[in-house]
Amino acid sequence: MPAHRMSAALAPFVVRLAAYDLGPGLAGVHRGLPSSTVSVTIPEQDPLELAWAGRPGSRRRLRAAVAGLHLEAAELRQPGCTRGVWLTLSPAGAGALLGLPAAALAGHVAELADVAPELADLPERLAACRSWPQRRALVERRLLAGLARHGARPDPAGLRAALAALSATARVQEAADLLGCSRRHLSGTVRAELGVTPKEYQRLVRFETARGRLVAAAGAGRADLAAVAAASGFADQAHFTREWRAMAGCTPTEWLRAEGPGRRG
């Protein structure tokens, strides 16, 4: 069967669209890790229970969740049916598809119906679908409708180039030099559009890069933390482990044991 190709109109805004299954362990508990994207989680049937890791008083019950860029982990629990649809949006995708800028969501998790009222019925519509291709097609149609409703803004203040420069450098000043602008200008652009500082964005990108390498290495049966740390720009394995614990609330080894390759459907 040929791979599904997403609509070209959505490609600049949707980073990933996938089915998920949190699995049977602990009533479907999943650790939502920090990310440089905006994530949307839509359970197939039962609502989500979500809390920031280490803060049980922050627990909320959501029919479907939208999370902005954040630098700490969240714990998602989905009792009952543990399946659903998960998508991640580029920062520009939040405004183009949901009608709310990424900066307005930074550090927060909101109910999908509150962010995009026109998508309030999406969980029920997805539950009525009989297959993943039907669910995927439904989500794409609704996202395209959102794009037609809200429209894509022109690249604000060269944000795309700013994020590319920050992703390619280790220090904010290096990115500013690469762009030929002041550090203050770069900071203002990124904070206004994403709701995080340029340095925080670089931390998120480095964390995501390390996560991808860690998963790939574990999948190949060679999860060498020192090698992952060096390839991802950390000073050493200890630095990598400290940063992972600070952002994920656990060590890389603990995360792999709970949610690494083969641990989720």
Side-chain angles (χ1 to χ4, degrees):
M1 179 182 295
H4 172 74
R5 182 171 297 176
M6 184 174 293
S7 165
L10 294 177
F13 308 114
V14 179
V15 178
R16 182 174 182 180
L17 170 58
Y20 71 80
D21 189 337
L22 301 183
L26 298 176
V29 174
H30 167 68
R31 187 178 295 266
L33 298 180
S35 170
S36 65
T37 57
V38 173
S39 65
V40 182
T41 306
I42 310 171
E44 186 175 313
Q45 294 180 19
D46 300 285
L48 289 167
E49 293 178 3
L50 188 146
W52 295 111
R55 291 195 276 150
S58 65
R59 186 169 301 278
R60 300 173 58 196
R61 188 176 177 86
L62 301 167
R63 185 63 189 91
V66 181
L69 278 65
H70 54 94
L71 283 87
E72 58 182 320
E75 292 179 350
L76 288 76
R77 185 184 300 269
Q78 191 175 325
C81 176
T82 59
R83 298 183 302 273
V85 174
W86 176 58
L87 60 150
T88 56
L89 310 178
S90 67
L97 305 179
L98 304 179
L100 194 66
L105 297 165
H108 300 290
V109 178
E111 181 69 63
L112 177 62
D114 294 336
V115 173
E118 65 275 9
L119 298 179
D121 67 335
L122 193 50
E124 287 69 30
R125 294 285 303 277
L126 285 170
C129 295
R130 296 187 176 184
S131 67
W132 164 238
Q134 289 180 345
R135 295 185 182 95
R136 181 182 59 212
L138 171 61
V139 171
E140 289 194 26
R141 287 197 302 273
R142 300 299 290 274
L143 293 177
L144 286 168
L147 180 60
R149 182 180 300 108
H150 303 297
R153 288 193 302 155
D155 186 23
L159 179 65
R160 187 176 299 123
L163 298 186
L166 288 168
S167 299
T169 55
R171 293 179 173 81
V172 177
Q173 187 61 55
E174 292 176 5
D177 293 342
L178 191 62
L179 293 165
C181 68
S182 69
R183 179 168 179 156
R184 181 177 180 179
H185 174 79
L186 176 58
S187 179
T189 296
V190 174
R191 287 183 67 96
E193 296 298 325
L194 273 63
V196 298
T197 68
K199 191 60 185 176
E200 288 171 337
Y201 183 78
Q202 286 183 321
R203 285 184 68 196
L204 288 170
V205 170
R206 186 175 63 177
F207 180 87
E208 285 183 315
T209 300
R211 177 187 178 184
R213 289 195 171 106
L214 184 63
V215 170
R222 46 178 177 76
D224 183 338
L225 297 186
V228 170
S232 304
F234 293 91
D236 50 32
Q237 181 177 335
H239 179 208
F240 171 47
T241 299
R242 287 196 304 272
E243 182 74 345
W244 188 284
R245 184 186 291 277
M247 297 182 74
C250 63
T251 68
T253 301
E254 289 169 341
W255 180 78
L256 278 177
R257 189 180 302 121
E259 302 198 46
R263 300 294 182 180
R264 288 289 180 261

